[in-house]
Structure formats: structure tokens, C-alpha cells
Amino acid sequence: MKVVVPKNLSQAGKDYLLTHHFDLITVPDDRQETILKYGQDANGIILMTDPFDNETLKQFPNLKIIARHGVGFDNVDPTFAAKQGVVVTITPTANAATVAETTLAEIFDLSKNLTRVSHEMRLGNFAYKTTHMGFDLNGKTLGVMGYGRIGRIVAQKAEALGMKVLIFDPFIKNSQVGKLVDRDSLISQADIITLHLVVNEQTTHSFGKREFSLMKKTASLVNLGRGALIDETALIKALAEHQIRAAALDVFDAEPLPLSSAFYQLDNVLLTPHIASNTKECMERMAVDSASEVVRVLSGKKAKWAVNQVE
């Protein structure tokens, strides 16, 4: 059995597959063209965040599983994959705590201007801090949109900081933390909004011009979910015109974010290159969890975290 693995996959995941006697096809990057070039006869693929479209999928005659290295699966079509006899899995328990921690880190950065102040200090501008003061999180309202594993942990940690927590998720009926509210109430009342929604037809580019007009002018938006959740053109306009205070973005429609992007010209947006789960421990967990799904499926067993069902 042959399994395509990215070059940068944690060694723990590679070792797991080798221990179970699988042959590894190590690819230099995660692009679908590269995977096709080196691993067309593969039985399994561990897939990162690069797109893997249906036309490419059809060219893998022996493929039985695509194991996503992460939680989101918007870069592959599970329904089409199922028709091709391919199981698509995710690693839902591996990164929740890490992404929640990074979310809080970016919220802290926004509230205290840490990155900007540090940058200005290196330029000798010690007075920058006096004209760019931060704000307290204690007593402020955090709006959590999407209340899955990550959203729950973020809410718990924020409440421990003395923040008021508002929650919007159409599939959640009750919560021991914070207060469940409707979408517009959360957007209009929150001082900071953090997005943890899944990407689907309803949520794609759903946070746009209307939502920015509802937000407080002093409010900030944080997105460590998926770039597709936000209308980036509308956000750039809202930030440039100071319709909202600031934003922290870890994900984008196009990744890497092109250097020509207008986001780089704004001083009220914190930009990070998709680092939400970028810790050694989390990368090892995701690697082992995705590898374990490959082993299960290619050994004739049922996947633990499948997002589709192969007949």
C-alpha cells in the first residue's frame, strides 16, 4: 500500500505509517499537480490545505482515502469523493486547543497593539505607544460565531478573562458559557468578533458590507477559521475607512496572501500566515491522527472521523 505524504508532515505521522508497513511517497509540496505527478498510483493521501479538485481526484485509480491534516475540508469535495469510492477524513480533536490559544493570542495582540508597538520601538519610536493605546479585555464583549470545539474553548478562556461572551450558532440550543443570541445581535453588540464557522454555501463570503455596517466603530474582527468566510474587498474598505477599529486575519481567500494585497497597506490589521495550529505538539497530533485514519481505512476498517460515507 502506498501513501502520499507531504515533505513537511511531522515525522511522528511518517513513523506511524512506516510502523504499519506502508510505503511512503514523499512529495516536495502540497499542490495537486505535484501529488498527481509523484503519487498517481497511491492508495492513500494525507492532504494539507491546498485545493484537490474533482478532475484531479478522478485520475487516482487506486485511491481509497484522503486524510485531511486538519479540521476543514473545503479544499476537497467529500460527496464527489464518496462516489469515487474515496473516504475523506479529518482530525477534529487534534488542534482545537491550539487554535483556541492562537485566537486568544491574536485578540491580546489587537487589544494591546503588541506587534505594532514592538515594530515602532525597533525603529526608535518610543513615543508611538502614547498615541496608540490599547484597551482592556476585562468587561468587553466577545462574540463567538460558530460554537464547535474551537469556539467552545475560546468562549471558556474569554470568560475566565472577565469578558462577556455572546454566541451565535444555529445548531446550538444551549451553552453553559456565555449567552446564545441571534446573528445580528452578536454583530452589533460585540467589541471583538471571532469566526469559527464551517465554510458552506450559506457562510461563504457571508461576513461583508452589511455586517461591517452593523459592527461598532470600536469593534474588531478576528478570523482564524477560513478566508472564505469574509468578503475581503468589503473588509479592506471597512478598515481603510475606519468603519471598524481593526482586524486580525490568519486565513485568506488566496494563500499565501499575495504581496500585492491591499491588506499590507493597512496599519489596523494583524496578518499572520495561517499559524493557528502551528505548534510542534499540534502538528504531531494532526500527523498521527491523519495517519491513523489512513491505516484504518487501508486495513479494511471503518474510519473514525470520516466526513462522507462510501457505499
Side-chain angles (χ1 to χ4, degrees), residues 194-231:
T194 179
L195 304 181
H196 302 286
L197 298 158
V198 297
V199 173
N200 54 36
E201 290 183 4
Q202 289 71 43
T203 61
T204 297
H205 295 164
S206 62
F207 210 101
K209 180 179 178 181
R210 177 181 178 276
E211 286 68 30
F212 296 125
S213 69
L214 288 175
M215 289 175 66
K216 297 177 182 180
K217 295 195 74 171
T218 55
S220 300
L221 178 67
V222 177
N223 186 19
L224 283 83
R226 282 290 185 269
L229 295 172
I230 294 176
D231 179 340

mmCIF file of all heavy atoms in Angstrom, residues 194-231:
data_model
loop_
_atom_site.group_PDB
_atom_site.id
_atom_site.type_symbol
_atom_site.label_atom_id
_atom_site.label_comp_id
_atom_site.label_asym_id
_atom_site.label_seq_id
_atom_site.Cartn_x
_atom_site.Cartn_y
_atom_site.Cartn_z
ATOM 1 N N THR A 194 -15.067 36.834 16.762
ATOM 2 C CA THR A 194 -14.152 35.803 16.278
ATOM 3 C C THR A 194 -14.936 34.743 15.515
ATOM 4 O O THR A 194 -15.980 34.272 15.979
ATOM 5 C CB THR A 194 -13.340 35.184 17.442
ATOM 6 O OG1 THR A 194 -12.472 34.174 16.939
ATOM 7 C CG2 THR A 194 -14.223 34.596 18.525
ATOM 8 N N LEU A 195 -14.449 34.385 14.340
ATOM 9 C CA LEU A 195 -15.161 33.492 13.434
ATOM 10 C C LEU A 195 -14.618 32.072 13.516
ATOM 11 O O LEU A 195 -13.428 31.837 13.314
ATOM 12 C CB LEU A 195 -15.039 33.994 11.992
ATOM 13 C CG LEU A 195 -15.498 35.438 11.714
ATOM 14 C CD1 LEU A 195 -15.333 35.760 10.230
ATOM 15 C CD2 LEU A 195 -16.941 35.644 12.155
ATOM 16 N N HIS A 196 -15.520 31.130 13.795
ATOM 17 C CA HIS A 196 -15.156 29.708 13.857
ATOM 18 C C HIS A 196 -16.220 28.869 13.144
ATOM 19 O O HIS A 196 -16.526 27.755 13.578
ATOM 20 C CB HIS A 196 -14.992 29.267 15.312
ATOM 21 C CG HIS A 196 -13.959 30.057 16.051
ATOM 22 N ND1 HIS A 196 -12.609 29.902 15.846
ATOM 23 C CD2 HIS A 196 -14.089 31.054 16.958
ATOM 24 C CE1 HIS A 196 -11.945 30.744 16.617
ATOM 25 N NE2 HIS A 196 -12.813 31.461 17.287
ATOM 26 N N LEU A 197 -16.754 29.401 12.075
ATOM 27 C CA LEU A 197 -17.808 28.737 11.314
ATOM 28 C C LEU A 197 -17.217 27.795 10.267
ATOM 29 O O LEU A 197 -16.087 27.978 9.813
ATOM 30 C CB LEU A 197 -18.663 29.788 10.600
ATOM 31 C CG LEU A 197 -19.408 30.793 11.488
ATOM 32 C CD1 LEU A 197 -19.754 32.040 10.684
ATOM 33 C CD2 LEU A 197 -20.668 30.156 12.063
ATOM 34 N N VAL A 198 -18.007 26.810 9.878
ATOM 35 C CA VAL A 198 -17.609 25.975 8.748
ATOM 36 C C VAL A 198 -17.906 26.733 7.464
ATOM 37 O O VAL A 198 -18.767 27.623 7.430
ATOM 38 C CB VAL A 198 -18.360 24.623 8.742
ATOM 39 C CG1 VAL A 198 -18.035 23.811 9.973
ATOM 40 C CG2 VAL A 198 -19.881 24.848 8.645
ATOM 41 N N VAL A 199 -17.192 26.404 6.411
ATOM 42 C CA VAL A 199 -17.428 27.037 5.114
ATOM 43 C C VAL A 199 -18.431 26.196 4.332
ATOM 44 O O VAL A 199 -18.212 25.013 4.099
ATOM 45 C CB VAL A 199 -16.122 27.169 4.312
ATOM 46 C CG1 VAL A 199 -16.407 27.679 2.907
ATOM 47 C CG2 VAL A 199 -15.162 28.109 5.023
ATOM 48 N N ASN A 200 -19.533 26.810 3.959
ATOM 49 C CA ASN A 200 -20.526 26.169 3.102
ATOM 50 C C ASN A 200 -21.207 27.244 2.260
ATOM 51 O O ASN A 200 -20.767 28.412 2.271
ATOM 52 C CB ASN A 200 -21.549 25.354 3.927
ATOM 53 C CG ASN A 200 -22.221 26.194 5.014
ATOM 54 O OD1 ASN A 200 -22.490 27.383 4.821
ATOM 55 N ND2 ASN A 200 -22.501 25.573 6.154
ATOM 56 N N GLU A 201 -22.249 26.880 1.548
ATOM 57 C CA GLU A 201 -22.912 27.845 0.667
ATOM 58 C C GLU A 201 -23.466 29.033 1.445
ATOM 59 O O GLU A 201 -23.485 30.167 0.942
ATOM 60 C CB GLU A 201 -24.039 27.166 -0.113
ATOM 61 C CG GLU A 201 -23.556 26.174 -1.162
ATOM 62 C CD GLU A 201 -24.696 25.585 -1.964
ATOM 63 O OE1 GLU A 201 -25.859 26.006 -1.755
ATOM 64 O OE2 GLU A 201 -24.441 24.706 -2.805
ATOM 65 N N GLN A 202 -23.911 28.788 2.670
ATOM 66 C CA GLN A 202 -24.503 29.856 3.471
ATOM 67 C C GLN A 202 -23.460 30.789 4.084
ATOM 68 O O GLN A 202 -23.716 31.977 4.285
ATOM 69 C CB GLN A 202 -25.370 29.265 4.594
ATOM 70 C CG GLN A 202 -26.670 28.618 4.146
ATOM 71 C CD GLN A 202 -26.451 27.311 3.406
ATOM 72 O OE1 GLN A 202 -25.626 26.486 3.830
ATOM 73 N NE2 GLN A 202 -27.153 27.103 2.313
ATOM 74 N N THR A 203 -22.289 30.270 4.390
ATOM 75 C CA THR A 203 -21.298 31.078 5.108
ATOM 76 C C THR A 203 -20.213 31.683 4.216
ATOM 77 O O THR A 203 -19.507 32.600 4.638
ATOM 78 C CB THR A 203 -20.605 30.239 6.199
ATOM 79 O OG1 THR A 203 -19.934 29.132 5.595
ATOM 80 C CG2 THR A 203 -21.620 29.733 7.215
ATOM 81 N N THR A 204 -20.067 31.193 2.991
ATOM 82 C CA THR A 204 -19.023 31.708 2.102
ATOM 83 C C THR A 204 -19.235 33.195 1.826
ATOM 84 O O THR A 204 -20.303 33.608 1.367
ATOM 85 C CB THR A 204 -19.000 30.929 0.772
ATOM 86 O OG1 THR A 204 -18.660 29.568 1.043
ATOM 87 C CG2 THR A 204 -17.973 31.527 -0.183
ATOM 88 N N HIS A 205 -18.226 33.995 2.158
ATOM 89 C CA HIS A 205 -18.254 35.457 1.983
ATOM 90 C C HIS A 205 -19.480 36.086 2.653
ATOM 91 O O HIS A 205 -19.963 37.131 2.217
ATOM 92 C CB HIS A 205 -18.213 35.828 0.500
ATOM 93 C CG HIS A 205 -16.934 35.423 -0.166
ATOM 94 N ND1 HIS A 205 -16.774 35.352 -1.531
ATOM 95 C CD2 HIS A 205 -15.724 35.039 0.354
ATOM 96 C CE1 HIS A 205 -15.548 34.954 -1.821
ATOM 97 N NE2 HIS A 205 -14.886 34.760 -0.686
ATOM 98 N N SER A 206 -19.969 35.453 3.698
ATOM 99 C CA SER A 206 -21.190 35.931 4.364
ATOM 100 C C SER A 206 -20.932 37.089 5.316
ATOM 101 O O SER A 206 -21.870 37.754 5.750
ATOM 102 C CB SER A 206 -21.851 34.774 5.132
ATOM 103 O OG SER A 206 -20.982 34.298 6.149
ATOM 104 N N PHE A 207 -19.671 37.317 5.668
ATOM 105 C CA PHE A 207 -19.363 38.458 6.538
ATOM 106 C C PHE A 207 -18.830 39.568 5.632
ATOM 107 O O PHE A 207 -17.687 39.535 5.191
ATOM 108 C CB PHE A 207 -18.326 38.068 7.597
ATOM 109 C CG PHE A 207 -18.487 38.837 8.879
ATOM 110 C CD1 PHE A 207 -19.117 38.263 9.970
ATOM 111 C CD2 PHE A 207 -18.036 40.144 8.991
ATOM 112 C CE1 PHE A 207 -19.291 38.973 11.156
ATOM 113 C CE2 PHE A 207 -18.206 40.862 10.158
ATOM 114 C CZ PHE A 207 -18.826 40.278 11.245
ATOM 115 N N GLY A 208 -19.697 40.539 5.338
ATOM 116 C CA GLY A 208 -19.343 41.556 4.359
ATOM 117 C C GLY A 208 -19.857 42.934 4.709
ATOM 118 O O GLY A 208 -19.944 43.312 5.886
ATOM 119 N N LYS A 209 -20.207 43.688 3.691
ATOM 120 C CA LYS A 209 -20.574 45.100 3.839
ATOM 121 C C LYS A 209 -21.662 45.305 4.882
ATOM 122 O O LYS A 209 -21.561 46.197 5.731
ATOM 123 C CB LYS A 209 -21.043 45.639 2.481
ATOM 124 C CG LYS A 209 -21.456 47.101 2.503
ATOM 125 C CD LYS A 209 -21.879 47.545 1.110
ATOM 126 C CE LYS A 209 -22.332 49.004 1.129
ATOM 127 N NZ LYS A 209 -22.766 49.446 -0.228
ATOM 128 N N ARG A 210 -22.717 44.493 4.832
ATOM 129 C CA ARG A 210 -23.816 44.650 5.785
ATOM 130 C C ARG A 210 -23.340 44.430 7.212
ATOM 131 O O ARG A 210 -23.696 45.184 8.129
ATOM 132 C CB ARG A 210 -24.938 43.659 5.458
ATOM 133 C CG ARG A 210 -26.097 43.694 6.458
ATOM 134 C CD ARG A 210 -27.173 42.672 6.099
ATOM 135 N NE ARG A 210 -28.237 42.689 7.095
ATOM 136 C CZ ARG A 210 -28.186 42.007 8.234
ATOM 137 N NH1 ARG A 210 -27.123 41.255 8.520
ATOM 138 N NH2 ARG A 210 -29.185 42.081 9.090
ATOM 139 N N GLU A 211 -22.536 43.395 7.414
ATOM 140 C CA GLU A 211 -22.066 43.054 8.758
ATOM 141 C C GLU A 211 -21.147 44.149 9.309
ATOM 142 O O GLU A 211 -21.238 44.505 10.486
ATOM 143 C CB GLU A 211 -21.336 41.714 8.728
ATOM 144 C CG GLU A 211 -22.255 40.498 8.568
ATOM 145 C CD GLU A 211 -22.928 40.415 7.206
ATOM 146 O OE1 GLU A 211 -22.320 40.890 6.204
ATOM 147 O OE2 GLU A 211 -24.054 39.880 7.118
ATOM 148 N N PHE A 212 -20.296 44.720 8.457
ATOM 149 C CA PHE A 212 -19.407 45.786 8.928
ATOM 150 C C PHE A 212 -20.193 47.035 9.287
ATOM 151 O O PHE A 212 -19.810 47.783 10.197
ATOM 152 C CB PHE A 212 -18.337 46.087 7.874
ATOM 153 C CG PHE A 212 -17.425 44.926 7.621
ATOM 154 C CD1 PHE A 212 -17.252 44.421 6.338
ATOM 155 C CD2 PHE A 212 -16.752 44.306 8.666
ATOM 156 C CE1 PHE A 212 -16.429 43.329 6.106
ATOM 157 C CE2 PHE A 212 -15.925 43.217 8.447
ATOM 158 C CZ PHE A 212 -15.772 42.727 7.161
ATOM 159 N N SER A 213 -21.304 47.259 8.608
ATOM 160 C CA SER A 213 -22.144 48.413 8.943
ATOM 161 C C SER A 213 -22.857 48.214 10.283
ATOM 162 O O SER A 213 -23.212 49.193 10.951
ATOM 163 C CB SER A 213 -23.177 48.656 7.835
ATOM 164 O OG SER A 213 -24.155 47.620 7.807
ATOM 165 N N LEU A 214 -23.064 46.949 10.678
ATOM 166 C CA LEU A 214 -23.710 46.661 11.958
ATOM 167 C C LEU A 214 -22.739 46.724 13.135
ATOM 168 O O LEU A 214 -23.145 46.980 14.264
ATOM 169 C CB LEU A 214 -24.339 45.256 11.920
ATOM 170 C CG LEU A 214 -25.590 45.053 11.067
ATOM 171 C CD1 LEU A 214 -25.983 43.574 11.058
ATOM 172 C CD2 LEU A 214 -26.742 45.907 11.599
ATOM 173 N N MET A 215 -21.454 46.486 12.889
ATOM 174 C CA MET A 215 -20.477 46.455 13.963
ATOM 175 C C MET A 215 -20.252 47.828 14.576
ATOM 176 O O MET A 215 -20.416 48.859 13.914
ATOM 177 C CB MET A 215 -19.129 45.912 13.445
ATOM 178 C CG MET A 215 -19.126 44.435 13.126
ATOM 179 S SD MET A 215 -17.549 43.876 12.373
ATOM 180 C CE MET A 215 -16.408 44.122 13.752
ATOM 181 N N LYS A 216 -19.853 47.842 15.834
ATOM 182 C CA LYS A 216 -19.429 49.085 16.468
ATOM 183 C C LYS A 216 -18.194 49.618 15.735
ATOM 184 O O LYS A 216 -17.361 48.843 15.264
ATOM 185 C CB LYS A 216 -19.051 48.840 17.932
ATOM 186 C CG LYS A 216 -20.161 48.345 18.838
ATOM 187 C CD LYS A 216 -19.574 48.101 20.227
ATOM 188 C CE LYS A 216 -20.592 47.568 21.197
ATOM 189 N NZ LYS A 216 -20.000 47.329 22.550
ATOM 190 N N LYS A 217 -18.038 50.938 15.710
ATOM 191 C CA LYS A 217 -16.846 51.514 15.078
ATOM 192 C C LYS A 217 -15.588 51.179 15.883
ATOM 193 O O LYS A 217 -14.478 51.229 15.358
ATOM 194 C CB LYS A 217 -16.992 53.031 14.940
ATOM 195 C CG LYS A 217 -18.105 53.460 13.998
ATOM 196 C CD LYS A 217 -17.986 54.915 13.604
ATOM 197 C CE LYS A 217 -16.857 55.134 12.628
ATOM 198 N NZ LYS A 217 -16.846 56.497 12.050
ATOM 199 N N THR A 218 -15.786 50.839 17.150
ATOM 200 C CA THR A 218 -14.661 50.494 18.024
ATOM 201 C C THR A 218 -14.385 48.990 18.057
ATOM 202 O O THR A 218 -13.498 48.537 18.786
ATOM 203 C CB THR A 218 -14.949 50.964 19.449
ATOM 204 O OG1 THR A 218 -16.211 50.394 19.884
ATOM 205 C CG2 THR A 218 -15.027 52.480 19.525
ATOM 206 N N ALA A 219 -15.141 48.220 17.277
ATOM 207 C CA ALA A 219 -15.040 46.757 17.338
ATOM 208 C C ALA A 219 -13.980 46.219 16.379
ATOM 209 O O ALA A 219 -13.585 46.876 15.408
ATOM 210 C CB ALA A 219 -16.395 46.125 17.018
ATOM 211 N N SER A 220 -13.520 44.993 16.670
ATOM 212 C CA SER A 220 -12.512 44.324 15.856
ATOM 213 C C SER A 220 -13.017 42.953 15.424
ATOM 214 O O SER A 220 -13.818 42.327 16.116
ATOM 215 C CB SER A 220 -11.210 44.158 16.647
ATOM 216 O OG SER A 220 -10.685 45.412 17.044
ATOM 217 N N LEU A 221 -12.502 42.498 14.275
ATOM 218 C CA LEU A 221 -12.868 41.194 13.729
ATOM 219 C C LEU A 221 -11.646 40.288 13.718
ATOM 220 O O LEU A 221 -10.558 40.693 13.297
ATOM 221 C CB LEU A 221 -13.406 41.350 12.309
ATOM 222 C CG LEU A 221 -13.800 40.065 11.581
ATOM 223 C CD1 LEU A 221 -15.008 39.415 12.249
ATOM 224 C CD2 LEU A 221 -14.093 40.350 10.111
ATOM 225 N N VAL A 222 -11.831 39.048 14.164
ATOM 226 C CA VAL A 222 -10.748 38.066 14.202
ATOM 227 C C VAL A 222 -11.184 36.850 13.394
ATOM 228 O O VAL A 222 -12.272 36.325 13.603
ATOM 229 C CB VAL A 222 -10.436 37.653 15.660
ATOM 230 C CG1 VAL A 222 -9.359 36.568 15.690
ATOM 231 C CG2 VAL A 222 -10.004 38.863 16.479
ATOM 232 N N ASN A 223 -10.316 36.404 12.486
ATOM 233 C CA ASN A 223 -10.651 35.224 11.683
ATOM 234 C C ASN A 223 -9.478 34.259 11.623
ATOM 235 O O ASN A 223 -8.474 34.514 10.956
ATOM 236 C CB ASN A 223 -11.062 35.616 10.265
ATOM 237 C CG ASN A 223 -11.550 34.420 9.456
ATOM 238 O OD1 ASN A 223 -11.915 33.384 10.022
ATOM 239 N ND2 ASN A 223 -11.566 34.547 8.138
ATOM 240 N N LEU A 224 -9.621 33.141 12.322
ATOM 241 C CA LEU A 224 -8.674 32.035 12.242
ATOM 242 C C LEU A 224 -9.383 30.793 11.720
ATOM 243 O O LEU A 224 -8.890 29.680 11.872
ATOM 244 C CB LEU A 224 -8.034 31.754 13.605
ATOM 245 C CG LEU A 224 -6.942 32.730 14.048
ATOM 246 C CD1 LEU A 224 -7.540 33.978 14.680
ATOM 247 C CD2 LEU A 224 -5.970 32.081 15.019
ATOM 248 N N GLY A 225 -10.556 30.996 11.108
ATOM 249 C CA GLY A 225 -11.336 29.885 10.571
ATOM 250 C C GLY A 225 -10.931 29.570 9.144
ATOM 251 O O GLY A 225 -10.048 28.765 8.886
ATOM 252 N N ARG A 226 -11.578 30.231 8.192
ATOM 253 C CA ARG A 226 -11.264 30.109 6.778
ATOM 254 C C ARG A 226 -11.417 31.476 6.122
ATOM 255 O O ARG A 226 -12.333 32.241 6.432
ATOM 256 C CB ARG A 226 -12.196 29.100 6.086
ATOM 257 C CG ARG A 226 -11.828 27.645 6.336
ATOM 258 C CD ARG A 226 -10.537 27.255 5.638
ATOM 259 N NE ARG A 226 -10.213 25.838 5.769
ATOM 260 C CZ ARG A 226 -9.484 25.315 6.736
ATOM 261 N NH1 ARG A 226 -9.015 26.099 7.700
ATOM 262 N NH2 ARG A 226 -9.212 24.020 6.771
ATOM 263 N N GLY A 227 -10.535 31.777 5.155
ATOM 264 C CA GLY A 227 -10.606 33.056 4.473
ATOM 265 C C GLY A 227 -11.924 33.268 3.758
ATOM 266 O O GLY A 227 -12.414 34.394 3.648
ATOM 267 N N ALA A 228 -12.512 32.182 3.289
ATOM 268 C CA ALA A 228 -13.749 32.272 2.511
ATOM 269 C C ALA A 228 -14.935 32.791 3.313
ATOM 270 O O ALA A 228 -15.967 33.146 2.743
ATOM 271 C CB ALA A 228 -14.091 30.905 1.928
ATOM 272 N N LEU A 229 -14.813 32.868 4.621
ATOM 273 C CA LEU A 229 -15.918 33.365 5.437
ATOM 274 C C LEU A 229 -16.150 34.866 5.254
ATOM 275 O O LEU A 229 -17.246 35.367 5.494
ATOM 276 C CB LEU A 229 -15.651 33.081 6.924
ATOM 277 C CG LEU A 229 -15.602 31.613 7.341
ATOM 278 C CD1 LEU A 229 -15.126 31.491 8.780
ATOM 279 C CD2 LEU A 229 -16.969 30.954 7.173
ATOM 280 N N ILE A 230 -15.112 35.582 4.825
ATOM 281 C CA ILE A 230 -15.155 37.038 4.772
ATOM 282 C C ILE A 230 -15.119 37.536 3.331
ATOM 283 O O ILE A 230 -14.394 37.005 2.486
ATOM 284 C CB ILE A 230 -13.964 37.636 5.550
ATOM 285 C CG1 ILE A 230 -14.087 37.315 7.040
ATOM 286 C CG2 ILE A 230 -13.866 39.143 5.358
ATOM 287 C CD1 ILE A 230 -12.893 37.779 7.860
ATOM 288 N N ASP A 231 -15.878 38.591 3.067
ATOM 289 C CA ASP A 231 -15.765 39.337 1.818
ATOM 290 C C ASP A 231 -14.562 40.266 1.994
ATOM 291 O O ASP A 231 -14.657 41.307 2.639
ATOM 292 C CB ASP A 231 -17.046 40.134 1.568
ATOM 293 C CG ASP A 231 -16.999 40.969 0.291
ATOM 294 O OD1 ASP A 231 -15.886 41.245 -0.207
ATOM 295 O OD2 ASP A 231 -18.070 41.364 -0.194
#
